[in-house]
């Protein structure tokens, strides 16, 4: 099986898939607007840093019985037709089909382009075109994931009147309009049951300005103890503060985009992630100190004879360090992560200033997290 349904999906439509040995790549049916948004994100590095890495597109075709792509072994599952982007060889290698099967399947699908075109017409959209993204929940053992839908307006400006009225009412009847965000789905790891407690979008829709803090309490309910949980919330406060500074400089309109927030729900993994981070910080500090001491020593000695040589050595040291750090691109244990996702209704709008609805949402989330720290963790 090449593609799996995404585990830990907390919101949105069915049909988000993942692939790779560690399901490290998200494969999501792409609406043209989302594809365009990702393609253009390279021009907006500051915001792109908050988005999952975009790998490229992948076209899937249904493996229908009796057609050229039919292979009973894949049971009507989507197969790879074509892939643009640099992960092609990795993806093929990661599949459990042997290489020859995968190549045959791809060739058969490419030989039948009409099948894909017909399906696209039937569906109204080409749902075989997918975007490939970094799976943000990779690096967590028990990811506690929250999809926080941002902004005060949920529809595009060019939506139908019917859709505007319908989604306008949803905004007014939930926390979307008053607070600029709504908790969509989330799930929390329960170590006693060794299972996730799941909250649907209906739960989030039922929350009001007065009860939404309890919604966050439900999200921060993994049994990690108050010290770890306080740290998690403080990290989110720091990240949201940075994110706010970013979006205040960005000119775009996000409609129904989400902040995907994740924290580690397994205490042991959490501590391991934390010590990996601390080791990294210690290594950087030690290096910076060594560098400064060396500089000071050289200044004192006034010896600039073989300066060039020494600079070369420095560069080599630095490369070594980077390589050690990255270990073949493997994702290490994470503690928390926060990323902006879902751009099916978002557009870059140069000259039109920031999205005030999203700015409002980040500010209210920050205020609530700070309130939580104060009330439940006695942090002023
Ligand atoms: P939709 O348009 O259906 O709402 P989203 O982009 O919001 O699609 O994705 C739906 C869900 O899939 C999210 O709530 C999240 O749980 C999961 N998801 C989407 N993208 C990623 C990603 N890059 N990494 C991890 N999980 C993701
Ligand atoms: Mn979504």
């Amino acid at each position: 099986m090449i593609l799996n349904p995404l585990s830990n999906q907390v919101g949105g439509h069915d049909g988000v898939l993942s692939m790779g040995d560690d399901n490290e790549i998200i494969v999501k049916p792409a609406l043209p607007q989302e594809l365009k948004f990702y393609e253009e994100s390279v021009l907006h590095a500051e915001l792109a840093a908050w988005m999952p890495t975009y790998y490229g597109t992948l076209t899937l075709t249904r493996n229908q019985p009796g057609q050229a792509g039919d292979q009973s072994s894949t049971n009507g599952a989507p197969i790879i037709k074509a892939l643009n982007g640099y992960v092609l060889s990795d993806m093929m290698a990661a599949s459990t089909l042997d290489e020859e099967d995968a190549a045959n399947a791809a060739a058969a699908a490419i030989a039948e382009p009409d099948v894909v075109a017909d399906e696209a017409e039937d569906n109204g959209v080409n749902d075989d075109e997918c975007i490939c993204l970094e799976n943000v929940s990779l690096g967590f053992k028990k990811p506690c994931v929250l999809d926080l839908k941002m902004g005060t307006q949920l529809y595009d400006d060019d939506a139908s009147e019917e859709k505007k009225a319908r989604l306008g009412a949803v905004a007014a009847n939930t926390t979307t309009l008053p607070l600029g965000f709504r908790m969509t789905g989330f799930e929390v790891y329960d170590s006693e049951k060794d299972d996730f407690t799941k909250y649907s979008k209906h739960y989030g829709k039922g929350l009001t300005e007065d009860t939404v803090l309890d919604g966050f309490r439900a999200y921060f309910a993994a049994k990690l103890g108050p010290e770890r949980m306080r740290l998690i919330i403080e990290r989110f406060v720091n990240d949201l503060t940075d994110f706010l500074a970013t979006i205040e400089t960005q000119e775009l309109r996000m409609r129904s985009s989400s902040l995907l927030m994740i924290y580690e729900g397994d205490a042991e993994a959490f501590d391991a992630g934390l010590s990996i981070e601390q080791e990294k910080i210690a290594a950087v500090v030690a290096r910076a100190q060594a560098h400064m001491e060396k500089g000071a020593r050289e200044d004192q000695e006034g010896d600039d004879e073989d300066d060039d040589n020494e600079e070369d050595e420095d560069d080599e040291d630095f490369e070594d360090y980077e390589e050690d750090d990255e270990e073949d691109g493997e994702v290490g244990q994470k503690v928390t992560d926060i990323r902006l996702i879902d751009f099916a209704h978002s557009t870059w709008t140069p000259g039109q200033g920031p999205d005030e609805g999203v700015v409002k949402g980040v500010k209210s989330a920050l205020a609530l997290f700070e309130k939580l720290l104060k009330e439940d963790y006695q942090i002023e």
Side-chain angles (χ1 to χ4, degrees), residues 103-118:
N104 285 343
I110 288 163
E112 280 291 296
D114 290 347
V115 175
V116 181
D118 286 352

Side-chain angles (χ1 to χ4, degrees), residues 12 147 149 256 258 342:
D147 180 314
K149 200 181 269 289
S256 281
S258 289
D342 195 355

Side-chain angles (χ1 to χ4, degrees), residues 6-17 24-29 31 34 38 51-53 131-138 145-149 184-185 187 256-260 262 339-345:
L6 175 64
S7 56
N8 308 111
Q9 176 174 346
V10 298
H13 306 83
D14 289 346
V16 183
L17 304 166
E24 63 270 32
I25 299 162
I26 300 276
V27 179
K28 185 191 157 182
L31 288 170
E34 181 157 46
Y38 270 106
M51 295 162 60
T53 306
I131 48 173
C132 298
L133 304 170
E134 166 192 6
N135 183 350
V136 184
S137 52
L138 196 73
V145 184
L146 164 64
D147 180 314
L148 204 60
K149 200 181 269 289
T184 313
E187 57 185 50
S256 281
S257 295
S258 289
L259 277 172
L260 194 68
I262 311 183
R339 231 64 85 76
L340 197 58
I341 62 160
D342 195 355
F343 305 103
H345 303 284

Side-chain angles (χ1 to χ4, degrees), residues 142 188-198:
K142 301 292 177 189
V188 182
Y189 181 63
D190 183 335
S191 53
E192 276 163 37
K193 295 187 187 136
D194 189 24
D195 202 2
F196 286 90
T197 309
K198 300 187 182 195

Side-chain angles (χ1 to χ4, degrees), residues 15-16 33 53 66 85 103 126 130 161 179 199 207 214 249 262 298 338 344-345 357:
V16 183
Q33 196 165 335
T53 306
N126 184 358
C130 295
E161 290 308 314
L179 294 176
Y199 294 82
L207 294 169
D214 289 330
T249 70
I262 311 183
E298 280 168 6
I338 177 165
H345 303 284

